[in-house]
Amino acid sequence: MVDYLGDSSYQHGSANRIGVLVANLGTPDGPDPASVRRFLADFLWDPRVVEAPRAIWWLALHGVILRIRPSKSAHAYRQIWTPEGSPLLVHSSALVKRLGEALQPRWNAAVALGMSYGSPSIPQALEELRRQGAQRIVVLPLYPQYSGTTTASVFDRVTRQLQRWRWVPELRFIGSYHDDAGYVGALAASIEQHWRTHEKNHLLFSFHGIPKRYVTAGDPYYCQSMKTARLVAERLSLGEQEWSVSFQSQVGREEWLRPYTDERLLEYARSGPKRVTLMCPGFATDCLETLEEIALRNRQLFLEAGGEAYDYIPALNSSDAHVATLTNLIERHIQGWAEPSHQTPAEADATLRRALRSGAQH
């Protein structure tokens, strides 16, 4: 028998709230091999991330990958770890805090952060929203461009948890915002701000890669990434030779989306443009892939190969423009839901008394 989660102490007359679940990928608890191994075991076992026969993949994952990769990844995490912890968690937490402050005055919204892998988990975030009385929930995955490897994985974990709830909330899911005017404008403004204090170099948009066969099978990620880059370049009035796109973080022998960022940087270092500015528009917050791979490792690769200048523009993180963009996006998805009722204590008491007379316990 399924033990459905519910609140037996629910009190009639309680104000119904809108909840917002902000989801990100996740991070290890620490930059040590054991923590990284636990994180990678969860992350890489997700069939949305690695589409492979389970039995064969289990043998590869536990027989090879989790024996080798954790130590290497832990070293990379140590390069970017902060006194407050993982950059992804620090920036995501700050962003969620500011979103809560922005949404509270009008919507009385409860906002929680949940990670697909690691802590705080998506089930923990949903439970927090349930305890706060959220009966309508907007889910915002912090992935501007949709991919089955990321956005759909959030959906899987949210719905899997809600199947255990006795009182299932109304649910709205934001699938992508790759061409949202506010998001495009915030990226363009960040680049312009950077160029006010740095040289205006060739702009390279580096997106996280996925296996090419996922796109061939119908994943829209490539098209949405290219559209984001094009819209930002148009906003900045850049010519075709002033910007380009590449894809990073490929692993294994399978072909991923091309061109690869490291290969493109080596090409530029040898034949130009030798002065580049990189931005990663697929990352809402800075993390291992932006801070270690792009800002550190690829910078060294480029300069040692003959490049002359290399700048990295940070993710939007918890900036004013990012908070305003996501607040607007969430509010548009809330539209159509009646604004939360601000009933007086007397009205709430009357509701409770009517319920008690009808046999309610609370």
Side-chain angles (χ1 to χ4, degrees):
M1 183 177 71
V2 179
D3 184 16
Y4 292 106
L5 300 175
D7 186 0
S8 60
S9 62
Y10 172 78
Q11 181 169 309
H12 290 76
S14 300
N16 296 331
R17 301 186 70 183
I18 289 174
V20 179
L21 169 60
V22 180
N24 210 337
L25 185 83
T27 176
D29 294 327
D32 57 278
S35 296
V36 173
R37 185 177 293 107
R38 288 192 299 271
F39 173 74
L40 290 177
D42 190 15
F43 171 48
L44 295 176
W45 184 243
D46 188 341
R48 289 286 192 179
V49 175
V50 180
E51 296 182 27
R54 293 290 89 184
I56 296 175
W57 177 240
W58 190 94
L59 290 173
L61 179 61
H62 291 274
V64 180
I65 296 171
L66 292 180
R67 294 174 182 269
I68 299 173
R69 190 166 175 182
S71 294
K72 181 179 179 181
S73 295
H75 173 76
Y77 273 109
R78 285 195 294 272
Q79 307 308 304
I80 54 97
W81 211 260
T82 73
E84 295 77 24
S86 163
L88 181 143
L89 180 57
V90 170
H91 290 305
S92 298
S93 298
L95 176 60
V96 167
K97 181 178 184 294
R98 293 201 64 194
L99 286 173
E101 293 168 350
L103 292 165
Q104 174 64 26
R106 179 179 178 186
W107 299 101
N108 186 32
V111 184
L113 173 66
M115 303 294 188
S116 292
Y117 320 99
S119 181
S121 68
I122 285 175
Q124 288 172 332
L126 286 170
E127 177 61 21
E128 178 183 339
L129 294 178
R130 188 176 70 84
R131 287 197 305 267
Q132 295 188 57
Q135 295 177 335
R136 292 169 168 169
I137 296 178
V138 177
V139 180
L140 171 60
L142 288 177
Y143 308 118
Q145 299 79 24
Y146 176 95
S147 174
T149 61
T150 52
T151 317
S153 181
V154 172
F155 180 84
D156 290 349
R157 290 177 183 247
V158 168
T159 53
R160 188 181 306 136
Q161 180 65 14
L162 292 183
Q163 289 177 40
R164 302 186 60 230
W165 284 26
R166 185 169 297 279
W167 188 349
V168 176
E170 293 183 57
L171 191 68
R172 292 184 179 174
F173 191 89
I174 301 176
S176 75
Y177 50 99
H178 67 285
D179 57 358
D180 177 79
Y183 163 67
V184 171
L187 292 175
S190 179
I191 296 168
E192 288 177 325
Q193 181 180 4
H194 178 84
W195 278 342
R196 281 196 287 270
T197 55
H198 296 74
E199 184 179 356
K200 183 179 178 181
N201 298 320
H202 180 87
L203 182 60
L204 176 59
F205 296 103
S206 181
F207 293 87
H208 198 290
I210 62 173
K212 182 179 179 181
R213 65 184 168 94
Y214 293 5
V215 173
T216 303
D219 195 303
Y221 179 75
Y222 177 81
C223 293
Q224 292 190 2
S225 297
M226 296 301 292
K227 186 174 184 180
T228 294
R230 175 177 60 80
L231 290 175
V232 174
E234 289 176 353
R235 182 70 68 93
L236 295 170
S237 300
L238 297 179
E240 290 185 2
Q241 302 305 313
E242 295 181 283
W243 64 280
S244 55
V245 175
S246 61
F247 297 89
Q248 66 190 73
S249 307
Q250 66 275 6
V251 295
R253 299 178 180 178
E254 181 177 8
E255 182 178 7
W256 284 41
L257 295 179
R258 290 182 181 272
Y260 298 153
T261 296
D262 54 358
E263 292 181 355
R264 171 140 287 189
L265 286 171
L266 287 175
E267 172 192 339
Y268 286 172
R270 293 163 184 158
S271 59
K274 290 180 174 289
R275 308 179 74 85
V276 297
T277 298
L278 272 81
M279 168 178 266
C280 300
F283 295 88
T285 59
D286 276 312
C287 57
L288 182 72
E289 287 80 4
T290 63
L291 298 176
E292 190 276 336
E293 182 179 0
I294 295 299
L296 295 179
R297 182 153 36 100
N298 275 314
R299 181 180 188 276
Q300 181 179 2
L301 175 78
F302 179 72
L303 296 178
E304 289 181 350
E308 297 174 359
Y310 183 105
D311 295 328
Y312 168 66
I313 300 177
L316 295 176
N317 294 319
S318 59
S319 64
D320 291 346
H322 202 195
V323 172
T325 294
L326 297 183
T327 297
N328 181 267
L329 181 68
I330 293 166
E331 288 186 329
R332 292 205 309 271
H333 282 77
I334 288 174
Q335 297 302 322
W337 279 342
E339 293 194 28
S341 60
H342 299 286
Q343 59 181 349
T344 66
E347 291 170 335
D349 184 64
T351 299
L352 175 59
R353 284 188 280 106
R354 284 193 297 270
L356 293 174
R357 288 197 300 268
S358 298
Q361 300 298 311
H362 304 283

